[in-house]
Amino acid sequence: MAAAALCRLPGLLGGGSAAVWRQALRSPHSVGCRRKSTKYLVRPGQPKLAYSKTKGRNPGVIFLPGFASTMMANKAIAIEKYCKSLGHSFIRFDYTGCGASGGKFGESTIGQWKNDVLAVLDELTEGPQVVVGSSMGGWLMLLAAVARPDKIAALVGISTGADYLVNAFKQLPLEVQKEIKTNGEWYIPNSHKDAGFYKIPYTFIKDAENYCLLHGAIPVTCPVRLIHGLKDEHIPWQISLKVAEVVISKDVDIILCKNSEHRMSDKDDIKLIVNLIDDLIDKLTKLA
């Protein structure tokens, strides 16, 4: 347990009119969050993935939750309402071992969750997609954009946590790293609850090392929008700056929000996120 307090990790630890985004922000839990709307993507030899899909025109929008978060997040529901209001397709889903999906959380890896994202893109979407990734979901959206450049038309990163788990582990004192390797587990405070810890297997960190991106140029050429709060106490906002630096796309914007925290789930934060998605959809529609 010595490592538990040595690293702060995320919740990890997870052109419409003004009326459009007001509609998206109003009572986010009232629409689209009923379990009866949940469907399952069945994959041979893989856990089933729980998802909710709103049919509509392209470009579609996909929301990727953060670490240990689910498709029931306020941001996901608000974006879903926005997409419904404009008639665009939208998908939110749970990673393997999370929410209503199959599998065990403690046995999941970054590689598994990347494959989950690719399965959703390959099996549930048609045409160009705007992928919105929150925290660890921002890491996964970049991995997906590298793997499926023909599917992803734009990215929106919220408190993007690319490479963060690996780098946070490497910043621990050497004796703590050794202890974690020996015990096989890393205990991290659960910031979503008053007490308790996330228990992350050391094998998770070793697997995550295979998916680090920030050590060189990231071959993503689509438009990228990055939003980060300066009061984020879990994922340093400098990570978003680094992402902007290393993606090869020339269409990259960063917004640093002075009073926003990691989860960016306040009304003003969600309004900003929805407006950015709206602008990207306008841009992509005009280019089509």
Side-chain angles (χ1 to χ4, degrees), residues 45 90 93 111 114 131 180-181 187 235:
F90 177 77
F93 70 100
K114 172 192 172 183
V131 179
I180 293 170
K181 292 177 184 179
Y187 290 88
I235 302 288

Side-chain angles (χ1 to χ4, degrees), residues 58-77:
N58 288 327
V61 180
I62 303 175
F63 181 80
L64 307 185
F67 183 92
S69 187
T70 73
M71 64 176 171
M72 308 303 290
N74 283 1
K75 293 188 290 290
I77 303 302

Side-chain angles (χ1 to χ4, degrees), residues 11-273:
L12 151 92
L13 260 264
S17 66
V20 169
W21 56 254
R22 281 200 297 267
Q23 174 71 11
L25 295 177
R26 191 176 298 120
S27 303
H29 287 294
S30 62
V31 175
C33 58
R34 299 172 187 169
R35 283 298 180 184
K36 69 179 182 181
S37 68
T38 300
K39 298 179 180 179
Y40 292 92
L41 174 60
V42 178
R43 304 171 293 171
Q46 296 287 323
K48 63 182 181 180
L49 294 179
Y51 72 93
S52 177
K53 180 177 180 179
T54 299
K55 293 183 179 180
R57 63 180 182 273
N58 288 327
V61 180
I62 303 175
F63 181 80
L64 307 185
F67 183 92
S69 187
T70 73
M71 64 176 171
M72 308 303 290
N74 283 1
K75 293 188 290 290
I77 303 302
I79 297 169
E80 178 180 66
K81 290 190 70 176
Y82 157 76
C83 289
K84 284 182 177 179
S85 71
L86 286 189
H88 283 271
S89 68
F90 177 77
I91 296 174
R92 52 188 171 92
F93 70 100
D94 290 333
Y95 307 123
T96 295
C98 299
S101 287
K104 297 180 180 179
F105 179 78
E107 296 177 0
S108 298
T109 63
I110 292 293
Q112 173 69 63
W113 290 336
K114 172 192 172 183
N115 289 337
D116 293 347
V117 178
L118 298 183
V120 169
L121 281 166
D122 293 342
E123 302 296 330
L124 301 180
T125 70
E126 295 180 1
Q129 303 295 313
V130 176
V131 179
V132 183
S134 179
S135 191
M136 186 200 68
W139 186 357
L140 294 171
M141 80 176 183
L142 292 167
L143 291 169
V146 173
R148 297 290 188 273
D150 56 326
K151 283 274 193 177
I152 297 178
L155 300 176
V156 178
I158 306 166
S159 308
T160 299
D163 299 10
Y164 182 59
L165 275 170
V166 174
N167 291 336
F169 176 80
K170 291 179 178 179
Q171 290 170 11
L172 295 173
L174 291 177
E175 62 271 19
V176 175
Q177 292 185 39
K178 183 177 180 180
E179 179 184 347
I180 293 170
K181 292 177 184 179
T182 300
N183 295 335
E185 294 175 339
W186 185 14
Y187 290 88
I188 300 169
N190 183 345
S191 61
H192 287 323
K193 298 180 181 179
D194 294 334
F197 295 84
Y198 291 113
K199 185 172 67 174
I200 300 179
Y202 177 61
T203 52
F204 183 100
I205 304 301
K206 293 302 295 180
D207 172 81
E209 290 177 350
N210 299 317
Y211 300 97
C212 287
L213 294 166
L214 301 183
H215 48 75
I218 303 176
V220 169
T221 59
C222 65
V224 179
R225 303 293 180 263
L226 301 166
I227 316 166
H228 219 123
L230 293 181
K231 291 187 177 180
D232 191 333
E233 296 184 350
H234 303 297
I235 302 288
W237 54 264
Q238 289 87 350
I239 290 180
S240 286
L241 298 186
K242 183 64 176 179
V243 171
E245 177 187 340
V246 298
V247 292
I248 65 174
S249 172
K250 295 183 179 180
D251 186 357
V252 181
D253 291 335
I254 307 173
I255 298 178
L256 298 178
C257 303
K258 183 175 181 178
N259 295 314
S260 297
E261 300 179 354
H262 177 71
R263 298 181 72 178
M264 298 202 72
S265 57
D266 291 344
K267 273 192 173 183
D268 287 343
D269 292 327
I270 293 178
K271 172 183 171 182
L272 173 61
I273 293 165

